[in-house]
Amino acid sequence: MLEASGITVRYGRQVALDDASLTIEPGVVTGLAGPSGCGKSTLARVLALMLRPRSGTLTVDGDPVLRWRQRAPRELRTRVALIYQQPRLAVDPRLTLADVIREPLTANGRPDDGRVAELAGEAGLTGDLLTRRPHEVSDGQLQRACVARALTLEPRYLICDEMTTMLDASTQAHLVRLVNAYRERTGAGVLAISHDTILLNRWADKTVDLFDPADQKQP
Amino acid sequence: MRIATWTLAVLALAVLVLPPIVQLDQSLVDLRSAGQPPSFAHPFGTDEVGRDVLLRSVYGLRVSFLVGLVAALVSMVIGGAIGLAAGSLGGLPDRLLMRVVDGFNALPHLLFGIFIVALFAPSAAAVVVSVGVTHWTTAARIVRSEVLSLRTRPFVEAAVSGGAGRMRVVRRHLLPHLLPHLVLATVLMVPHAIWHETALSFLGLGLPPHLASLGNMINDGQRSLLTGDWWSSLVPGLFILAPTLAISVLAQRWRDRSSPRWRSELEL
Amino acid sequence: MTDRNLLRVEGLSVSFAIPAARVRAVSEASFEVRPGRCLALVGESGCGKSVLAHALLGLLPGNATVSGEAWLKQSGAEPVELIGASQQVLARRVRGRAIGLIPQSPATHLTPVRTARAQLQEAINELGSSARADDLAERYGLRPADLDRYPHELSGGMAQRVANAIALAGDPWLVLADEPTSGLDQPLVDRAMGTLRELCDEGRAVLLITHDLRAAERVADDLAVMYASRLVETGPAAGVLGQPRHPYTAGLVAAQPDRDFVPIPGLPPELTRLPEGCAFRPRCGHATERCAESPPMDGGVACHHTLASPDLARAPEIAKESHA
């Protein structure tokens, strides 16, 4: 379980997130809805250990998170992967798509063993595209690479922050399928963050609302 | 813009081509032709011991430029490393390093430079050290602010989340984005470093007096000013002014074109 | 706004020269936009729909080659042919005056160092409009006080309304909205679509460019579906989405989360090397040898195997056979 409780985040005097609690169970797609500016993306970064909250606790499979970002143990932070809304901002513009997908492997000193090709294939990226740089592919193709990258290290939890908002219906369906197949194969927990309630109704096993007090008190 | 380009081109050509072709000893003392005004044989006259001012200025520019470039590189390496460390470590190390930067900024550069040079005998190395040690703070600030904005960018975050260590993030994601800024800052620093070199030399604290540096020449020439030999210090002075202005103009133009965002940060 | 206003695009093609290749971004697009109606141009990212919009405003980069015609007919004025028009004509007669552009992300479209009022007033002055900034603001749901804020002090919705006010400062009869919903959440999408609908109901024409079928469905009267630089299906929105006749449209509709939620297999082709014939052929379950030949736009569909509506589908085929 990925459990966040009583998370509060402030930027200066501005409160971005006030006492939010959320649990992501393994093998389950949890949907998170809510209007923009309510702190969904902030919570996503906290859950991925990328933002240190002012107060509150986060545990990953029972291990409490005490340090954040690069100070967090590598093994702990690679257990949670984050997929961003805008793929253009989420990849280094100098890397080819293959490098983007391979990045987590090389960062952890692991061999490729055909994993990059396999993941790219699942994401629907064919050979030639993998040698391109981000500015030479469409948003949809880039987001496919981002999803493949997120799955490279087989994370236990996957945070999808408005993953398909910029994409057409067909690419959306493909990426959701990819994430679902991964979840079924590995039993990973998924948090699907979206403003699109129709999408969440279809994708998520259960949906929580950050503003609904009943959800806050979930055990 | 065009004037700047031509000035630099002509000077670069002179500095690179003239010394090997003109097999004249620029330090040749010829007391018979001392203190001659500009003439056909000596287009910019001779100095008080009869050395050709034009030839010596060209050699002087060569020395000054080299010292300026090395000094700028030294300050960029120091500043870049400290800015990178402050920006990517954050927290307490960041605060401590930035206080050090503030401290160095509070020191009067020239005085501190004189203090450092005074510890050594006059030499090119001493000048490089004194300029490098006093001028790295700009680079540190620029690099730190850029690192701070880069490190919360999603693509850097994604690398960290994927398990990339500190060194890897710096090497693979931060440095390649910082490099253009650093190169530009170095180029902009060169004229400044030349000015400091000449100022120190003028005060007699910089390069050894026998070396034809522009600062030394002005220093020598100021004595001749009293006797009306205006050319022996004016010409080296112009040789400082022209290339430094030209470099600034070109570098700023290039910077404005490549990233308008940077316009405000380097304009001091 | 009389019904004599009209935008008619005929055989519009746009291509870009890039090193060692040619990008075909728009191929022979033809459509009409009329006052009081909203035409949504839908397609996935990279299909060329944004390029089409930019071509109409003469905002393409220098390496673009454009052919075809786009006639802007206006009551009480000479018609303007947009493709061949000079920048001067476009600036004086078209941009902001006849066609208003609602940008992709209003928050980044506004200059961060000037207040909303300064930017709106600039647009008004530039267009020589008689409108007052406060009136425009109130008309598009802003308090006059909001105009005195800087862009970073505006919420996403307010920035959008400022952008709307700027786009409409010159009272254009045609509004071009390029992905106005990207990155907005549902209430803001709803509001943006509501605004577009109101503009239509005021008698303006709206050309909406979007990847979001559901947003298009809510506001559009007519729909044009674009795939790999080509319009593949056009018609009344309800008809196109309710009973799609092109396999690509059918695939897109079925991929929606409230339908089958099944992706179309494969990826769209590169615009640098579009396949011969129908560009959708490699991904299409209905493809046959005939599809090696480019299908003409016929009765609103460009497909040799038009779906769902047998009479229409067969009509051209029979005609051809009997002709042979």
Side-chain angles (χ1 to χ4, degrees):
Chain A
M1 297 238 274
L2 181 61
E3 276 187 284
S5 69
I7 302 287
T8 300
V9 176
R10 289 202 188 93
Y11 298 116
R13 271 194 211 150
Q14 206 179 352
V15 180
L17 200 61
D18 190 17
D19 195 25
S21 300
L22 186 75
T23 303
I24 305 172
E25 293 161 48
V28 173
V29 178
T30 307
L32 174 59
S36 69
C38 79
K40 288 179 305 196
S41 291
T42 303
L43 182 62
R45 290 181 64 211
V46 171
L47 292 172
L49 283 70
M50 285 300 115
L51 180 68
R52 183 196 198 102
R54 184 62 65 92
S55 62
T57 57
L58 178 69
T59 59
V60 186
D61 293 327
D63 298 328
V65 175
L66 304 172
R67 323 193 81 189
W68 305 78
R69 293 183 68 88
Q70 279 171 331
R71 288 173 222 272
R74 176 180 290 180
E75 187 277 323
L76 201 57
R77 69 178 192 253
T78 52
R79 268 193 241 169
V80 187
L82 179 56
I83 301 170
Y84 296 84
Q85 173 177 351
Q86 294 187 24
R88 295 245 164 247
L89 304 181
V91 298
D92 194 325
R94 296 172 312 108
L95 302 182
T96 64
L97 294 202
D99 287 337
V100 167
I101 302 172
R102 193 179 296 117
E103 171 78 15
L105 286 176
T106 40
N108 289 276
R110 293 195 207 164
D112 183 333
D113 292 339
R115 180 115 181 90
V116 171
E118 181 194 336
L119 280 164
E122 282 172 22
L125 294 171
T126 42
D128 173 47
L129 283 172
L130 290 176
T131 61
R132 307 252 186 110
R133 282 169 215 283
H135 68 271
E136 299 167 314
V137 303
S138 72
D139 283 350
Q141 290 162 341
L142 204 51
Q143 189 67 300
R144 287 166 192 257
C146 287
V147 174
R149 171 179 67 183
L151 302 182
T152 316
L153 295 176
E154 306 233 318
R156 297 290 304 135
Y157 299 95
L158 206 52
I159 318 289
C160 307
D161 184 7
E162 301 277 5
M163 175 177 81
T164 59
T165 303
M166 321 240 326
L167 308 178
D168 63 285
S170 173
T171 311
Q172 166 173 278
H174 186 140
L175 292 182
V176 168
R177 236 181 203 208
L178 186 61
V179 168
N180 276 350
Y182 173 77
R183 181 200 57 161
E184 273 156 33
R185 181 165 64 78
T186 62
V190 176
L191 180 68
I193 301 178
S194 178
H195 64 262
D196 184 346
T197 44
I198 298 175
L199 172 65
L200 289 186
N201 286 343
R202 182 66 182 252
W203 185 11
D205 301 310
K206 60 170 190 177
T207 304
V208 295
D209 190 333
L210 275 186
F211 285 138
D212 187 351
D215 283 324
Q216 302 272 313
K217 300 287 180 280
Q218 269 193 355
Chain B
M1 182 77 182
R2 189 166 301 159
I3 298 171
T5 315
W6 279 109
T7 310
L8 262 194
V10 168
L11 285 174
L13 209 67
V15 163
L16 291 173
V17 173
L18 219 54
I21 292 180
V22 186
Q23 294 289 335
L24 286 173
D25 187 355
Q26 40 92 19
S27 58
L28 188 75
V29 174
D30 179 4
L31 287 173
R32 278 170 305 169
S33 57
Q36 285 186 359
S39 64
F40 192 71
H42 302 285
F44 287 114
T46 58
D47 68 3
E48 53 177 3
V49 289
R51 295 173 293 199
D52 183 76
V53 172
L54 174 62
L55 193 60
R56 251 176 92 77
S57 293
V58 169
Y59 275 88
L61 181 59
R62 205 163 129 120
V63 171
S64 295
F65 183 76
L66 211 66
V67 169
L69 184 67
V70 175
L73 279 174
V74 167
S75 68
M76 284 304 133
V77 169
I78 300 175
I82 288 181
L84 204 55
S88 56
L89 290 173
L92 188 64
D94 179 30
R95 260 172 284 156
L96 285 177
L97 286 171
M98 287 334 273
R99 287 299 82 75
V100 173
V101 168
D102 289 342
F104 269 85
N105 268 343
L107 291 172
H109 285 177
L110 196 56
L111 275 182
F112 192 60
I114 291 171
F115 171 71
I116 292 175
V117 174
L119 295 179
F120 305 96
S123 69
V127 172
V128 165
V129 169
S130 84
V131 175
V133 165
T134 47
H135 285 78
W136 56 270
T137 50
T138 321
R141 282 185 181 285
I142 290 172
V143 168
R144 173 180 174 268
S145 74
E146 193 64 14
V147 168
L148 284 184
S149 98
L150 277 172
R151 54 179 264 162
T152 50
R153 296 263 284 278
F155 79 86
V156 173
E157 223 168 75
V160 173
S161 168
R166 238 181 251 290
M167 280 318 288
R168 187 182 169 78
V169 169
V170 166
R171 215 178 52 237
R172 218 168 135 73
H173 298 288
L174 298 183
L175 268 184
H177 285 93
L178 292 171
L179 216 55
H181 299 307
L182 270 178
V183 169
L184 182 66
T186 309
V187 172
L188 279 174
M189 184 59 80
V190 170
H192 195 96
I194 292 179
W195 281 90
H196 266 271
E197 182 276 318
T198 48
L200 286 172
S201 296
F202 177 75
L203 294 171
L205 296 163
L207 301 178
H210 66 273
L211 258 181
S213 105
L214 294 171
N216 280 341
M217 290 178 67
I218 298 178
N219 190 14
D220 294 342
Q222 64 167 343
R223 278 178 306 235
S224 323
L225 272 182
L226 298 173
T227 59
D229 298 353
W230 48 269
W231 56 88
S232 54
S233 51
L234 179 71
V235 173
L238 288 177
F239 265 80
I240 299 173
L241 205 58
T244 50
L245 274 180
I247 292 176
S248 309
V249 166
L250 288 181
Q252 288 183 10
R253 212 33 97 75
W254 184 68
R255 180 188 67 213
D256 290 353
R257 198 178 304 161
S258 57
S259 65
R261 202 161 59 80
W262 275 64
R263 230 169 265 187
S264 56
E265 289 183 32
L266 264 164
E267 229 107 64
L268 298 172
Chain C
M1 309 281 160
T2 67
D3 52 3
R4 282 200 280 160
N5 291 338
L6 176 71
L7 172 69
R8 174 180 294 165
V9 176
E10 275 170 29
L12 179 66
S13 298
V14 183
S15 63
F16 298 97
I18 58 169
R22 189 143 203 94
V23 183
R24 292 192 62 89
V26 181
S27 304
E28 292 159 45
S30 300
F31 58 88
E32 276 184 7
V33 191
R34 293 172 179 283
R37 288 186 82 81
C38 172
L39 169 68
L41 191 57
V42 297
E44 56 200 283
S45 78
C47 77
K49 55 191 193 303
S50 260
V51 172
L52 202 163
H54 284 90
L56 295 179
L57 290 171
L59 298 175
L60 293 175
N63 62 341
T65 313
V66 191
S67 64
E69 291 180 350
W71 284 98
L72 191 70
K73 298 184 181 169
Q74 307 183 71
S75 54
E78 285 277 294
V80 185
E81 201 284 300
L82 298 175
I83 304 306
S86 66
Q87 287 294 327
Q88 203 182 14
V89 169
L90 290 173
R92 289 218 187 122
R93 294 187 52 194
V94 180
R95 292 186 207 132
R97 292 166 220 270
I99 307 179
L101 177 70
I102 295 179
Q104 197 157 36
S105 52
T108 55
H109 204 77
L110 298 170
T111 309
V113 293
R114 299 177 60 207
T115 60
R117 178 184 301 281
Q119 299 181 54
L120 178 55
Q121 193 60 49
E122 184 183 3
I124 293 171
N125 296 344
E126 198 63 36
L127 294 165
S129 158
S130 57
R132 285 183 54 240
D134 286 349
D135 298 340
L136 274 172
E138 275 183 56
R139 190 131 172 243
Y140 297 104
L142 286 163
R143 285 170 299 151
D146 294 335
L147 283 181
D148 294 316
R149 302 199 198 190
Y150 286 90
H152 68 92
E153 298 170 316
L154 298 169
S155 70
M158 281 155 74
Q160 197 186 33
R161 274 171 269 171
V162 173
N164 290 351
I166 291 175
L168 293 155
D171 195 26
W173 68 267
L174 171 63
V175 175
L176 215 160
D178 185 5
E179 292 279 7
T181 60
S182 67
L184 299 181
D185 61 25
Q186 207 56 49
L188 286 181
V189 171
D190 287 343
R191 193 172 309 149
M193 290 302 120
T195 307
L196 290 182
R197 193 62 247 173
E198 279 167 27
L199 292 174
C200 273
D201 297 342
E202 284 173 8
R204 291 179 214 271
V206 174
L207 177 55
L208 167 67
I209 288 161
T210 182
H211 68 270
D212 188 344
L213 274 189
R214 218 176 305 141
E217 188 173 17
R218 195 154 37 203
V219 51
D221 302 296
D222 303 301
L223 211 65
V225 182
M226 198 164 177
Y227 180 75
S229 88
R230 230 169 247 283
L231 293 185
V232 294
E233 183 165 0
T234 57
V240 171
L241 294 176
Q243 204 177 32
R245 293 185 293 151
H246 193 285
Y248 175 65
T249 319
L252 268 191
V253 170
Q256 289 186 284
D258 51 353
R259 299 291 188 87
D260 300 347
F261 207 27
V262 183
I264 303 169
L267 287 177
E270 297 302 318
L271 297 182
T272 46
R273 41 188 157 181
L274 292 175
E276 288 290 305
C278 174
F280 190 60
R281 177 169 48 131
R283 303 173 74 182
C284 181
H286 303 270
T288 59
E289 283 170 15
R290 280 190 67 200
C291 303
E293 194 183 311
S294 205
M297 184 59 116
D298 196 341
V301 200
C303 180
H304 294 301
H305 305 278
T306 304
L307 310 172
S309 179
D311 332 319
L312 270 172
R314 234 172 256 134
E317 219 176 291
I318 295 165
K320 247 178 218 160
E321 275 159 14
S322 62
H323 194 76

